[in-house]
Amino acid sequence: MNSFEMLNGPQQEAVMQTEGPVLILAGAGSGKTRVLTHRAAYLIEEKGVNPYRIMAITFTNKAAGEMRERINGMVGFGAESIWVATFHATCVRILRRFIDRIGFETNFTIYDADDQKALMKDICKSMEIDTKLYKEKMFLSVISSAKDELIDPAEFARQAGEDFEKIRQAQVYQAYQDALKRNNALDFDDLICYTVKLFQKEEQVLLHYQERFRYIMVDEYQDTNTAQFQLIRLLADKYRNLCVVGDDDQSIYKFRGANIYNILNFETYFPEAAVIKLEQNYRSTQNILDAANHVIANNHGRKSKKLWTANGRGDRLAFCQFGNGYEEAEFAAKDITEKVFRDGYRYKDCAVLYRTNAQSRLFEEKFIVSNIPYRIIGGVNFYARKEIKDLLSYLKTIDNASDDLAVRRIINIPKRGIGATTIGRVQAYAASHEMSFYDALKAAEEIPSIGKAAAKIRPFVLLIQSLRSKLGMISLTDLFDEILEDTGYVKELEAEGTEEAKARIENIDELISKIADYEQGESEPTLSGFLEEVALVADIDTLEEDSNYVVLMTLHSAKGLEFPNVYLAGMEDGLFPSYLSIVSETAAEDIEEERRLAYVGITRAKEHLAVTCARERMVRGNLQFNKVSRFVEEIPKELFGKSEKPAPPKPEERHHRPSYGKGREAFRAKPMAAASTYNPPKNFGNAPKEALPYRVGDRVSHVKFGEGTVTLIVEGGRDYEVTVDFDRAGVKKMFAAFAKLKKI
């Protein structure tokens, strides 16, 4: 039996439908990667297509690597010629070759998020923008959203009309792009935008790639934005052999610019498209899939499909409603411990998924107490750490001295006694002479205003020039060793002798390993290539599958992963779906996206799924009383096993904080946020009925939330639960003894 015969019917159809546009609607766990790899093999082995003519685009390096490995395993000679890469890596390769056609040099730098923030900070300062009123992040978000829609600064300014805020944003956008151009740098959004611009402007370049990529496959198509869609449309426009694979029910990245209508309206753009549904799930039990099917069926903006499996019904889902978040975390810790020591699971088989990062703290506290090793995915990226950023800036400066941000970051690392005043004067000289900051440093003796400081600048310039002269002459590992030796970076850390300094040295050692791995894995390793690889690393790529720890992550980070045991935490209206989505102007659309997120969470589970929530939860120092999430209510009761609904806790136990035993150092864990202290008022739970000075309908004021109207008063045991619709803060529930509301 050949490998194609092992595919199910719809999978075989998807593999063999090679000509013309194809939309493969691949439900969660339906084997879409298998289909894509078999399709590539089928094109080569059965259709006789030259591997050089095949392109496969993914969203993460991990997915690209997995696809490349599988294709290599199926196809012998020539498989390495298939273009398998992420969107951004694809565009980098194209721009490295042709970006000079649109005014950049081919050794451009790629700016990451920290570089962008630093550049935007400079722009706001030069434009005298009050960053207390107008945050740098706000401008960057607006610019990114514009680029997702292929809106350049000129078009943005036209659309601004007479709106003062948008006019200011347009001015900042233009200044930001001008600064990038001066630095010969591109941000991540630019990689896509400039490739589209290149194709639109240079017909011969587009024709070259259309001829090369006669068969194009795109993974996770539901996550594409408008710019990515235009890129794919242009590439596929000549031969139209475009196969896109995705699941509209897993479109959860609207906040990143993903446009779900790219997949929903695929047949509008390609009327001749064949549509194939993959509905057999190979991951989960039928009970888990039934829960997911019932939840997602409530969405209107979707293409109909229903997941099924041959895995059997499996265990019913667990639903647990607790008194508070501490009890919820305690349950997860206890259940994981039992599964490990009683049922034979490993810690790595368990994952706690939640809507917001802030929810991790309670689980961290409980896991520390219970000696459960864990790791938070999506935290501080390795490449965002100070010592790594410093040393990468040296490499960036050696590779592209036009990168002002990189040069300015390291001008005083290690300290060279070059003050802010001197740096400012060099920057002013560079601006007035329309040259890079580094070129101005080389001409320091000609800047009359800096005087003796020129002597301090000269050794830095000589160091960089010396290192640049060795590019291509020595290995990247040796080059990096010379940077460490010449700067004394590690020696300074060794002199500190602190635990923090030791940890930083370990990180630098890891960077050395990364450089060595890159050199060993490339036939022609280059400094530019290494910096590209570093810049294109995605957060999810940091998940080490061999490590044995419980994973804590947001639902957005969990997409594409699977675990035998999943704990879906915080399933409460107001938390998930979020309060903002419930009350937004586009609530119907936003709640549908939240429901897709719930669907993603449910379908991460292979064998066991526990859905948990709390009656009350401390959020930003305030108690919130939330009802069970509407998404839980959408799951038929017969799919749940015995629900755990403990009696309401006594007031004195309600906010019990865990104490910490020994064993904190038994494993490495992300430092947790300090637990906020909480002291109930002495009269908690004893407010007599007649003591309330207000009734339903009365206007009241709160020290934090301002004025509002009392909409409900419920006698909750020893105290009153008061619901107030505040004018600015919205609806809040609170105990009367805590709220201290004053009647207006």
Side-chain angles (χ1 to χ4, degrees):
M1 183 189 298
N2 65 40
S3 60
F4 298 109
E5 292 173 346
M6 296 175 65
L7 303 174
N8 64 39
Q11 287 177 335
Q12 288 188 20
E13 184 185 356
V15 166
M16 297 176 184
Q17 181 69 49
T18 58
E19 307 306 305
V22 182
L23 169 61
I24 302 174
L25 293 170
S30 61
K32 66 180 177 62
T33 304
R34 177 194 288 184
V35 168
L36 284 174
T37 51
H38 277 76
R39 197 172 191 274
Y42 184 81
L43 282 167
I44 297 167
E45 294 182 339
E46 302 296 328
K47 304 291 288 187
V49 176
N50 186 332
Y52 181 80
R53 304 291 182 193
I54 302 171
M55 169 189 243
I57 297 183
T58 66
F59 269 85
T60 68
N61 296 315
K62 182 180 178 182
E66 182 182 347
M67 191 179 298
R68 164 73 66 191
E69 192 174 319
R70 289 202 199 181
I71 294 172
N72 287 345
M74 295 175 65
V75 181
F77 180 76
E80 69 281 355
S81 299
I82 300 176
W83 185 303
V84 183
T86 64
F87 271 101
H88 290 109
T90 293
C91 291
V92 168
R93 287 173 67 179
I94 293 170
L95 293 174
R96 284 288 181 216
R97 187 172 177 186
F98 291 110
I99 198 172
D100 56 340
R101 305 279 186 99
I102 53 174
F104 282 81
E105 294 178 23
T106 54
N107 67 332
F108 59 84
T109 297
I110 302 169
Y111 274 14
D112 63 14
D114 286 341
D115 296 329
Q116 290 177 267
K117 288 176 193 172
L119 182 60
M120 184 57 71
K121 187 175 181 180
D122 289 346
I123 288 167
C124 289
K125 185 177 180 181
S126 67
M127 295 180 69
E128 297 182 345
I129 292 172
D130 185 351
T131 51
K132 291 181 180 178
L133 294 175
Y134 304 99
K135 301 291 185 184
E136 293 100 330
K137 284 186 178 180
M138 179 273 292
F139 287 120
L140 288 171
S141 176
V142 168
I143 291 169
S144 180
S145 296
K147 290 180 179 181
D148 285 345
E149 298 299 321
L150 292 174
I151 298 172
D152 63 15
E155 177 60 26
F156 192 97
R158 280 193 291 273
Q159 294 182 11
E162 297 181 2
D163 186 321
F164 174 78
E165 296 292 329
K166 289 197 178 333
I167 291 172
R168 173 55 62 91
Q169 291 167 4
Q171 293 168 342
V172 171
Y173 186 4
Q174 185 66 63
Y176 174 75
Q177 290 304 110
D178 290 344
L180 285 172
K181 183 73 181 299
R182 285 196 303 273
N183 291 354
N184 194 36
L186 278 66
D187 64 22
F188 271 77
D189 296 316
D190 285 332
L191 295 175
I192 312 291
C193 292
Y194 281 125
T195 307
V196 171
K197 182 178 180 181
L198 173 68
F199 285 164
Q200 291 172 335
K201 182 173 180 289
E202 298 291 330
E203 187 177 347
Q204 289 304 311
V205 175
L206 175 60
L207 186 62
H208 167 78
Y209 284 105
Q210 286 177 335
E211 285 296 330
R212 173 165 183 184
F213 303 128
R214 298 192 182 186
Y215 292 88
I216 300 172
M217 296 182 287
V218 184
D219 193 13
E220 302 287 5
Y221 188 67
Q222 76 282 346
D223 295 335
T224 55
N225 59 35
T226 301
Q228 290 162 337
F229 166 75
Q230 289 296 339
L231 175 72
I232 295 303
R233 186 188 64 77
L234 285 164
L235 282 171
D237 200 39
K238 183 172 183 180
Y239 290 99
R240 298 180 77 78
N241 295 324
L242 171 64
C243 173
V244 301
V245 183
D247 183 3
D248 50 305
D249 290 335
Q250 295 187 72
S251 179
I252 59 172
Y253 295 126
K254 181 182 176 184
F255 68 98
R256 291 184 188 168
N259 184 351
I260 191 174
Y261 295 103
N262 287 348
I263 191 167
L264 292 180
N265 296 339
F266 187 78
E267 297 104 306
T268 303
Y269 301 116
F270 300 95
E272 74 274 33
V275 180
I276 302 166
K277 296 181 182 180
L278 304 183
E279 297 173 295
Q280 182 176 358
N281 176 284
Y282 292 90
R283 174 190 300 156
S284 308
T285 63
Q286 192 61 54
N287 276 331
I288 291 170
L289 297 181
D290 284 349
N293 286 332
H294 277 93
V295 169
I296 202 64
N298 290 277
N299 271 9
H300 299 290
R302 67 185 293 262
K303 291 179 177 290
S304 176
K305 65 181 116 22
K306 193 171 184 179
L307 296 178
W308 65 276
T309 185
N311 294 341
R313 293 223 63 88
D315 293 341
R316 286 191 287 180
L317 284 63
F319 171 65
C320 310
Q321 184 181 28
F322 299 101
N324 54 50
Y326 293 99
E327 293 175 3
E328 180 184 48
E330 190 168 21
F331 160 76
K334 180 182 177 183
D335 199 61
I336 289 169
T337 300
E338 287 181 355
K339 280 184 166 51
V340 170
F341 290 100
R342 184 190 67 191
D343 301 333
Y345 286 99
R346 296 164 297 176
Y347 288 115
K348 64 183 285 187
D349 295 329
C350 304
V352 180
L353 310 181
Y354 36 75
R355 179 66 182 83
T356 65
N357 276 308
Q359 289 170 254
S360 73
R361 182 175 65 84
L362 298 181
F363 292 98
E364 289 187 73
E365 290 179 358
K366 276 297 177 186
F367 287 0
I368 287 173
V369 172
S370 304
N371 279 333
I372 295 174
Y374 71 91
R375 183 175 176 189
I376 293 181
I377 303 300
V380 177
N381 189 292
F382 174 80
Y383 297 103
R385 295 168 185 169
K386 181 185 182 302
E387 60 277 10
I388 304 303
K389 292 285 288 183
D390 289 344
L391 293 167
L392 285 178
S393 289
Y394 267 99
L395 293 174
K396 287 179 181 180
T397 299
I398 295 165
D399 184 55
N400 172 21
S402 298
D403 185 349
D404 287 2
L405 285 180
V407 179
R408 282 160 51 192
R409 181 181 181 98
I410 60 173
I411 185 70
N412 260 324
I413 296 175
K415 292 178 181 176
R416 298 183 173 91
I418 303 171
T421 302
T422 299
I423 292 172
R425 287 171 178 167
V426 173
Q427 184 67 53
Y429 182 86
S432 64
H433 288 74
E434 296 184 350
M435 62 172 60
S436 72
F437 183 78
Y438 182 73
D439 285 338
L441 290 175
K442 289 198 293 185
E445 285 84 358
E446 299 172 23
I447 306 174
S449 58
I450 65 172
K452 296 179 180 178
K456 298 176 181 177
I457 292 172
R458 194 177 305 112
F460 172 75
V461 172
L462 291 174
L463 170 63
I464 299 300
Q465 292 294 92
S466 171
L467 292 168
R468 294 191 81 184
S469 69
K470 296 175 182 177
L471 265 183
M473 307 293 291
I474 61 175
S475 71
L476 296 182
T477 307
D478 289 341
L479 178 69
F480 192 74
D481 285 340
E482 288 207 17
I483 293 172
L484 296 179
E485 183 65 30
D486 292 341
T487 60
Y489 199 102
V490 172
K491 288 179 181 177
E492 280 195 8
L493 291 173
E494 288 173 341
E496 284 184 27
T498 63
E499 288 300 314
E500 181 182 358
K502 290 178 184 176
R504 290 188 170 186
I505 292 171
E506 289 173 1
N507 290 335
I508 293 169
D509 290 340
E510 184 62 25
L511 183 58
I512 294 172
S513 299
K514 170 65 181 176
I515 295 171
D517 286 345
Y518 167 77
E519 285 195 296
Q520 291 170 13
E522 291 287 326
S523 57
E524 295 182 9
T526 64
L527 180 53
S528 294
F530 172 72
L531 292 172
E532 282 170 18
E533 184 164 304
V534 166
L536 295 170
V537 169
D539 277 354
I540 200 65
D541 292 343
T542 65
L543 178 56
E544 301 166 21
E545 296 183 1
D546 294 335
S547 301
N548 189 25
Y549 44 67
V550 177
V551 170
L552 300 177
M553 63 169 68
T554 64
L555 286 151
H556 282 102
S557 297
K559 187 168 171 291
L561 303 177
E562 58 183 46
F563 304 90
N565 304 298
V566 169
Y567 301 83
L568 202 50
M571 294 297 289
E572 304 142 29
D573 262 20
L575 188 57
F576 189 32
S578 68
Y579 177 73
L580 287 176
S581 68
I582 295 171
V583 300
S584 74
E585 293 180 1
T586 56
E589 196 175 300
D590 292 347
I591 288 176
E592 291 215 347
E593 172 124 349
E594 294 270 299
R595 186 175 283 110
R596 292 193 291 271
L597 196 55
Y599 173 85
V600 166
I602 294 169
T603 54
R604 297 313 93 196
K606 296 171 69 176
E607 300 169 16
H608 304 284
L609 175 64
V611 180
T612 63
C613 61
R615 291 190 180 89
E616 61 185 50
R617 192 176 296 275
M618 190 72 76
V619 179
R620 299 186 187 91
N622 296 290
L623 272 180
Q624 283 191 1
F625 302 86
N626 299 322
K627 63 181 182 179
V628 176
S629 170
R630 65 194 67 193
F631 303 147
V632 178
E633 302 288 352
E634 291 167 356
I635 300 174
K637 290 182 173 55
E638 58 267 22
L639 293 179
F640 289 111
K642 184 179 178 181
S643 298
E644 185 170 338
K645 293 188 177 181
K650 297 177 182 179
E652 60 270 20
E653 298 173 346
R654 192 183 300 271
H655 303 290
H656 170 68
R657 301 281 178 189
S659 58
Y660 298 99
K662 295 180 181 179
R664 180 192 288 259
E665 300 301 325
F667 56 90
R668 286 196 177 191
K670 178 181 171 182
M672 64 178 183
S676 55
T677 56
Y678 185 82
N679 298 306
K682 292 180 180 179
N683 68 336
F684 174 71
N686 298 314
K689 192 169 185 178
E690 58 272 20
L692 288 182
Y694 46 81
R695 293 181 295 182
V696 173
D698 285 348
R699 295 283 292 171
V700 294
S701 66
H702 183 273
V703 65
K704 181 176 180 180
F705 301 128
E707 297 181 1
T709 303
V710 178
T711 59
L712 185 66
I713 298 176
V714 178
E715 189 169 358
R718 303 188 214 171
D719 195 7
Y720 291 93
E721 184 183 295
V722 183
T723 304
V724 182
D725 186 356
F726 290 101
D727 299 343
R728 295 195 311 273
V731 178
K732 301 286 182 184
K733 292 181 180 180
M734 56 198 78
F735 283 124
F738 291 103
K740 297 181 181 178
L741 298 168
K742 294 182 180 179
K743 183 178 179 181
I744 301 175

